[in-house]
Amino acid sequence: MQQAEKMRYIARTVISMCLFFALILSNSVLLARSDPEFSTRALADTVGFAHKARQMDSVMVRIDRLYHDDLARTQQPVGTVWRAAICPHDDYTYASWLYPAVLRNIKAKTVIIFGVAHKAWRYNLENWLVFDSFSSWRGPYGPVTVSPLREEIIKQLPADMAIVHDPMQSEEYSVEAMIPFLQYQKRDVEVISILVPYMDFERMQTISKHLAKALFIVMSQKNLRWGEDVAILISSDAVHYGDEDWGGYNYAYYGTGSKANALAEAYDREIISTCFDSELTEKKVARFYAYTTKPDNFKEYKWSWCGNYAISVALLTSRDLQKLEKSAPLKGVPIAYATSISQPHLKVDDLGMGETAIAMQRHWVGYPAIGFK
């Protein structure tokens, strides 16, 4: 947690709690709903991501032109469909081609997106799955419908596991980053956003079993196929590295300079190969959680992957769903890895887009692109 930011927003937090926390118990879920008149979820980031059709069209043309060889190298065999995937969520100028590299094998109409709850501390959120009540999300080609499966899934969950919290969903950008690419490749895509704030691993195991059961029941009732009709997508960057402009935190675990950065990148790659390659097991998910989360304080990073909670819950859920379905074990396929300083940046400034953070030797972010088939 960033102490300086906490102090800066403490007054707003109190006001927000008074204005937005109309919490009631309904359908076995604690609710903090938005005004129905404003049922389309507005944009949180109009700088790093595309939000207009012309921006998204241009971004895709430029990605194909600048990173054509990378996209060709990471192309999966014909017919590959991800049941689950991990995709970065940083500015398009930085993460660029890694988005389509992984998302092009998301074929389902309904995509359940597990996102980070970066500011969960503002709302004292922990140990919940955080849903929203919006009917649609804003996309570059028009509103993106929220799948009606959301309410059915929520109804299947115990009352102490799911919360509908529009203020948290409204300011979180990690899910929003996925929307333009998903809508670009499938105009009628529908989404369900689930944010995962901090929680310990035991709580994750409990929640994932209930969520997997809920998904299994709803998908079975609707005769929906995992991968073909419904997919699980996890929004997460990899390590946040360096000692500059991280809100007072020092994430330069190996120090600074080119050698230190190379060690940090190698450690990221070790995490990916150790935890996500080949058959997905609960032991591998636990290993990832141990890599990234302090054992004595689950609210703090051991290694700063911002999606450490979202990845853990979503993959545990995927593993539990696979067991309920008695389907083939999930097989992880690391597609690509890059950083915000390892490749040319995509030109976007002429499109009315830009950067929301710096990218330099003492401040950079890693990007994982991983599919699970």
Side-chain angles (χ1 to χ4, degrees):
M1 296 297 96
Q2 298 179 4
Q3 188 63 35
E5 191 171 6
K6 283 186 181 181
M7 297 300 295
R8 190 163 55 249
Y9 285 101
I10 189 169
R12 294 184 186 178
T13 301
V14 173
I15 295 172
S16 296
M17 290 174 66
C18 295
L19 293 177
F20 298 115
F21 279 11
L23 299 180
I24 62 172
L25 194 64
S26 174
N27 294 328
S28 298
V29 182
L30 198 59
L31 304 177
R33 291 188 179 275
S34 62
D35 188 327
E37 184 179 350
F38 302 100
S39 60
T40 297
R41 193 269 193 186
L43 298 169
D45 183 349
T46 59
V47 177
F49 311 141
H51 59 280
K52 299 177 181 178
R54 66 174 183 83
Q55 291 175 323
M56 196 61 211
D57 291 341
S58 296
V59 163
M60 291 303 296
V61 169
R62 294 176 188 188
I63 285 176
D64 185 63
R65 183 188 306 132
L66 184 59
Y67 305 103
H68 178 81
D69 292 345
D70 294 305
L71 287 169
R73 172 177 52 83
T74 56
Q75 182 70 52
Q76 301 302 304
V78 175
T80 298
V81 175
W82 303 138
R83 284 182 282 175
I86 300 173
C87 182
H89 58 234
D90 206 354
D91 297 341
Y92 291 179
T93 186
Y94 295 149
S96 58
W97 71 276
L98 284 91
Y99 281 98
V102 63
L103 295 180
R104 61 188 169 187
N105 292 110
I106 295 284
K107 305 296 185 181
K109 179 179 179 179
T110 300
V111 183
I112 303 172
I113 308 174
F114 287 79
V116 182
H118 283 96
K119 308 298 182 184
W121 55 265
R122 290 193 196 176
Y123 305 102
N124 296 312
L125 289 173
E126 61 182 81
N127 294 321
W128 295 93
L129 295 176
V130 182
F131 291 82
D132 65 270
S133 68
F134 301 110
S135 60
S136 64
W137 284 53
R138 181 173 168 182
Y141 305 100
V144 175
T145 300
V146 171
S147 171
L149 298 180
R150 179 186 62 191
E151 273 62 43
E152 298 185 44
I153 292 168
I154 291 174
K155 287 178 182 178
Q156 295 290 336
L157 294 170
D160 65 342
M161 291 187 181
I163 181 172
V164 175
H165 201 292
D166 289 341
M168 178 74 259
Q169 285 275 1
S170 293
E171 69 174 75
E172 175 53 52
Y173 60 85
S174 58
V175 170
E176 180 180 311
M178 308 291 112
I179 301 289
F181 285 98
L182 292 172
Q183 191 184 35
Y184 176 86
Q185 63 190 32
K186 194 175 188 68
R187 291 294 198 270
D188 63 345
V189 68
E190 296 183 354
V191 300
I192 298 172
S193 174
I194 305 176
L195 303 184
V196 185
Y198 30 69
M199 63 183 74
D200 64 34
F201 195 74
E202 183 177 356
R203 174 67 170 174
M204 290 180 171
Q205 290 173 305
T206 301
I207 282 182
S208 69
K209 284 180 171 57
H210 285 279
L211 180 57
K213 183 179 179 181
L215 292 174
F216 178 71
I217 291 171
V218 172
M219 290 168 63
S220 298
Q221 290 173 344
K222 304 292 184 181
N223 196 28
L224 298 173
R225 297 163 297 172
W226 189 13
E228 300 296 331
D229 300 309
V230 178
I232 289 173
L233 177 59
I234 309 159
S235 175
S236 176
D237 292 328
V239 72
H240 293 47
Y241 196 84
D243 64 351
E244 187 169 323
D245 202 26
W246 287 117
Y249 281 80
N250 184 350
Y251 296 134
Y253 304 99
Y254 293 106
T256 59
S258 58
K259 290 184 178 179
N261 289 342
L263 288 172
E265 182 177 332
Y267 194 64
D268 254 6
R269 293 180 183 274
E270 175 189 319
I271 292 173
I272 291 171
S273 63
T274 302
C275 304
F276 306 133
D277 196 5
S278 300
E279 183 175 339
L280 179 67
T281 65
E282 186 170 314
K283 183 177 180 181
K284 287 184 176 180
V285 182
R287 186 180 299 151
F288 169 74
Y289 186 84
Y291 264 118
T292 57
T293 312
K294 286 187 177 180
D296 57 343
N297 186 349
F298 65 85
K299 295 184 181 181
E300 294 187 4
Y301 293 129
K302 180 180 177 182
W303 182 258
S304 48
W305 276 51
C306 70
N308 57 334
Y309 309 111
I311 288 174
S312 298
V313 168
L315 291 185
L316 286 173
T317 300
S318 298
R319 168 68 174 162
D320 290 333
L321 179 58
Q322 176 261 314
K323 289 190 290 184
L324 288 170
E325 283 194 340
K326 296 181 172 59
S327 56
L330 287 154
K331 181 180 179 182
V333 182
I335 303 164
Y337 175 86
T339 77
S340 55
I341 60 172
S342 69
Q343 56 189 1
H345 295 162
L346 192 71
K347 179 177 174 59
V348 296
D349 57 324
D350 60 323
L351 301 175
M353 299 168 60
E355 307 85 21
T356 59
I358 59 175
M360 54 185 293
Q361 289 287 317
R362 298 177 71 165
H363 181 115
W364 56 271
V365 178
Y367 305 132
I370 305 160
F372 295 86
K373 59 184 181 179

